[in-house]
Amino acid sequence: MPGKEPDPDPELAQATPAAEPAEARAAEAAPASPAEGALQPEPQPPAAAPERGEPKAEPPSCPLHLAVEDVNDNSVSLTWKAPEQAGSAGLDGYLVECCKDGTADWVAANKELFLSTRYTIRNLTSGDRLQIRVKAVNVGGMSVPAVLEQPVVIREILEHPKIRVPRHLRQTYIRPAGEAVNLLIPFQGKPRPQVSWSKDGQPLDPKRVTVRSGDRDTIFFIRKAERSDSGQYQLSVKIDRLEDKATIDIRVIEQPGPPANLKLVDVWGFNVALEWSPPKDNGNAALKGYTVQKSDRKSGQWFTVLERCPRPSCTISDLIIGNSYSFRVFSENACGHSTTAAFTTELAHIRKPEIAYKPEKYSGRDFSEPPKFTQPLADRSTTRGYNTQLFCCVRAFPKPKIIWLKNQTEIREDPKYIAVINEGVCSLEIRKPSPFDGGVYTCKAVNPLGEASVDCRLDVKGSCAFSQYPSEGCVADLMKNKTDAAAWSEVATG
């Protein structure tokens, strides 16, 4: 068996004993002896006899987590952790031993003790199978050795095992039930690694899953996926003690079941309120919502009124008066709608609302009032033989009766007088008055609430149209009346 020495490389300086530089200088000064190529016998711990009266020191506990860090065709690198109990005097170092598999000849790999928890055994023979153990040493002696569970095969690993998980498999891989699952997962490792699959820590069922592995990839195939195929699948790629693992989460989904307990909650006006419960089976996938449909009794056809309703309740509006409706609800997930629906057990009747007209009561305003003249009669003067009119305005409700009087005598049906009332305007026309028609004229308005009257004086003067020398009064009267063009011409010529 070739000799094992600590690595003189600076990177492994922590793994080599501190006294090696002096030994290297001694080796340069003298030629190597044949005995240097062999593993050294176990170094003995320093013998320190306890003084009289002092308790004997206890050996340390076993080193922890011994593992192989790297293997090639002529060396093996080890790592471990310090023991939990180093003893009262502390650790003096570690002793690395190895022997060929099947023998019990343990040989020390290091000449001197060292305190590093990393060590490389060099100058090994390719193809050997070695058992390796590590002991902790202090003044009290050696600990129980930490031994590798399996022997190490000394061979070159050109490429460490590594699984290249595709991007779409780094999250949950979802497939509908009944479809094939075909996964191609590449990996690396040289020499060819050992590939193994398991599901939830158990071996795969060869009746359900087919696995084919090559030098660079592995194929995972299920011909017809079922819900029971859902779970976490573990992939392991291993070369000796070097191993890489990956977990593939596969979920097989199918259509959900129908909603439960669909019921008609309320009907009012043109609206209907519905409620239901989520389906008992969601198809192994989250629900996207519910689809609500309606059907009127006359046509019997179904129409969608809501899609992907997020809540298990809804209100349907704009229904037609006089129709009767039934409703059904489908649940939906990533695989599609449920194959069956939930139906309402009773019809929703949209009745015409009974509207009774109730006129509003208004407090009527009382417009009743006694007669009141808003425009009184005006005194005036006229010329004999020319028609004249008297005007006044009256307001009253109910409509008053208008009575005209001359010198306190009522003017009755006399063709000489024409009395007219229109929209509260009262007028009295005197046709071709004479001086006898002059006097005091009175307009009297009477209704059930009272009466009112107004007076005026009318003067009728003799005609001066044919006088040779008209007075200033006659000229003024002619200009005021402006009713006889012939008179104006006679005045102008005279």
Side-chain angles (χ1 to χ4, degrees), residues 175-177 179 253-256 283 285-286 288 332-338:
R175 295 296 293 173
E179 295 189 4
I253 64 174
E254 57 186 2
Q255 294 172 323
K288 290 186 175 181
E332 182 184 2
N333 64 4
C335 201
H337 291 88
S338 57

Side-chain angles (χ1 to χ4, degrees), residues 378-441:
D379 296 339
R380 64 179 306 167
S381 173
T382 186
T383 304
R384 178 180 180 178
Y386 294 93
N387 295 348
T388 187
Q389 289 183 337
L390 302 177
F391 294 96
C392 64
C393 296
V394 64
R395 184 179 68 193
F397 188 83
K399 184 179 180 180
K401 179 182 179 182
I402 304 300
I403 302 173
W404 287 94
L405 298 96
K406 175 188 174 185
N407 297 328
Q408 302 300 320
T409 302
E410 182 179 354
I411 299 174
R412 297 184 178 275
E413 296 179 358
D414 189 343
K416 190 178 183 65
Y417 301 96
I418 300 176
V420 178
I421 180 170
N422 184 20
E423 299 294 336
V425 178
C426 304
S427 64
L428 178 66
E429 183 179 0
I430 306 173
R431 301 174 66 184
K432 296 181 179 182
S434 64
F436 177 77
D437 295 322
V440 178
Y441 285 83

Side-chain angles (χ1 to χ4, degrees), residues 335-350:
C335 201
H337 291 88
S338 57
T339 55
T340 58
F343 292 82
T344 53
T345 57
E346 54 183 332
L347 294 176
H349 303 284
I350 308 302

Side-chain angles (χ1 to χ4, degrees), residues 138-461:
N138 69 359
V139 176
M142 296 185 182
S143 67
V144 175
V147 184
L148 291 176
E149 295 180 358
Q150 296 180 359
V152 179
V153 179
I154 307 303
R155 62 174 178 175
E156 183 178 10
I157 300 177
L158 301 177
E159 191 175 28
H160 286 205
K162 179 67 176 179
I163 301 174
R164 303 294 183 183
V165 180
R167 186 181 299 273
H168 69 281
L169 296 179
R170 296 176 188 173
Q171 54 189 1
T172 302
Y173 182 71
I174 300 176
R175 295 296 293 173
E179 295 189 4
V181 177
N182 190 7
L183 307 180
L184 175 65
I185 303 176
F187 57 83
Q188 67 183 27
K190 191 173 182 182
R192 179 177 176 176
Q194 296 178 356
V195 180
S196 62
W197 284 86
S198 62
K199 178 185 178 183
D200 300 328
Q202 301 296 326
L204 299 182
D205 183 3
K207 296 181 180 180
R208 296 291 311 151
V209 183
T210 302
V211 175
R212 295 179 183 177
S213 301
D215 294 339
R216 290 296 176 181
D217 54 44
T218 179
I219 298 175
F220 179 94
F221 181 74
I222 301 176
R223 184 174 300 277
K224 192 175 181 181
E226 297 179 356
R227 288 273 293 272
S228 59
D229 295 325
S230 301
Q232 291 188 342
Y233 292 81
Q234 292 80 30
L235 171 62
S236 174
V237 177
K238 184 176 181 181
I239 302 177
D240 295 339
R241 292 181 175 273
L242 302 178
E243 184 179 13
D244 190 21
K245 294 182 179 181
T247 299
I248 309 299
D249 189 4
I250 298 178
R251 183 186 301 172
V252 180
I253 64 174
E254 57 186 2
Q255 294 172 323
N261 304 323
L262 176 60
K263 57 184 177 180
L264 189 65
V265 177
D266 193 10
V267 180
W268 75 100
F270 310 98
N271 311 302
V272 169
L274 301 175
E275 283 186 358
W276 60 89
S277 302
K280 297 180 180 178
D281 181 14
N282 63 357
N284 202 25
L287 292 178
K288 290 186 175 181
Y290 302 92
T291 299
V292 183
Q293 295 182 343
K294 69 177 180 180
S295 174
D296 62 279
R297 191 174 182 181
K298 295 180 180 179
S299 66
Q301 297 180 355
W302 291 97
F303 300 93
T304 300
V305 293
L306 287 176
E307 288 184 336
R308 293 192 176 180
C309 177
R311 297 180 301 274
S313 62
C314 69
T315 300
I316 302 174
S317 304
D318 300 330
L319 300 176
I320 300 175
I321 291 179
N323 284 358
S324 298
Y325 292 90
S326 58
F327 301 91
R328 66 182 182 183
V329 180
F330 293 87
S331 54
E332 182 184 2
N333 64 4
C335 201
H337 291 88
S338 57
T339 55
T340 58
F343 292 82
T344 53
T345 57
E346 54 183 332
L347 294 176
H349 303 284
I350 308 302
R351 296 183 173 86
K352 183 178 181 179
E354 297 179 358
I355 301 176
Y357 176 70
K358 296 180 180 180
E360 296 184 9
K361 296 181 179 180
Y362 295 98
S363 56
R365 181 178 177 182
D366 188 8
F367 293 96
S368 300
E369 62 176 332
K372 179 181 179 181
F373 283 93
T374 59
Q375 181 66 37
L377 292 173
D379 296 339
R380 64 179 306 167
S381 173
T382 186
T383 304
R384 178 180 180 178
Y386 294 93
N387 295 348
T388 187
Q389 289 183 337
L390 302 177
F391 294 96
C392 64
C393 296
V394 64
R395 184 179 68 193
F397 188 83
K399 184 179 180 180
K401 179 182 179 182
I402 304 300
I403 302 173
W404 287 94
L405 298 96
K406 175 188 174 185
N407 297 328
Q408 302 300 320
T409 302
E410 182 179 354
I411 299 174
R412 297 184 178 275
E413 296 179 358
D414 189 343
K416 190 178 183 65
Y417 301 96
I418 300 176
V420 178
I421 180 170
N422 184 20
E423 299 294 336
V425 178
C426 304
S427 64
L428 178 66
E429 183 179 0
I430 306 173
R431 301 174 66 184
K432 296 181 179 182
S434 64
F436 177 77
D437 295 322
V440 178
Y441 285 83
T442 302
C443 180
K444 186 177 182 180
V446 180
N447 74 354
L449 299 179
E451 62 180 35
S453 62
V454 289
D455 301 328
C456 72
R457 176 174 291 278
L458 175 65
D459 293 330
V460 181
K461 297 181 181 181

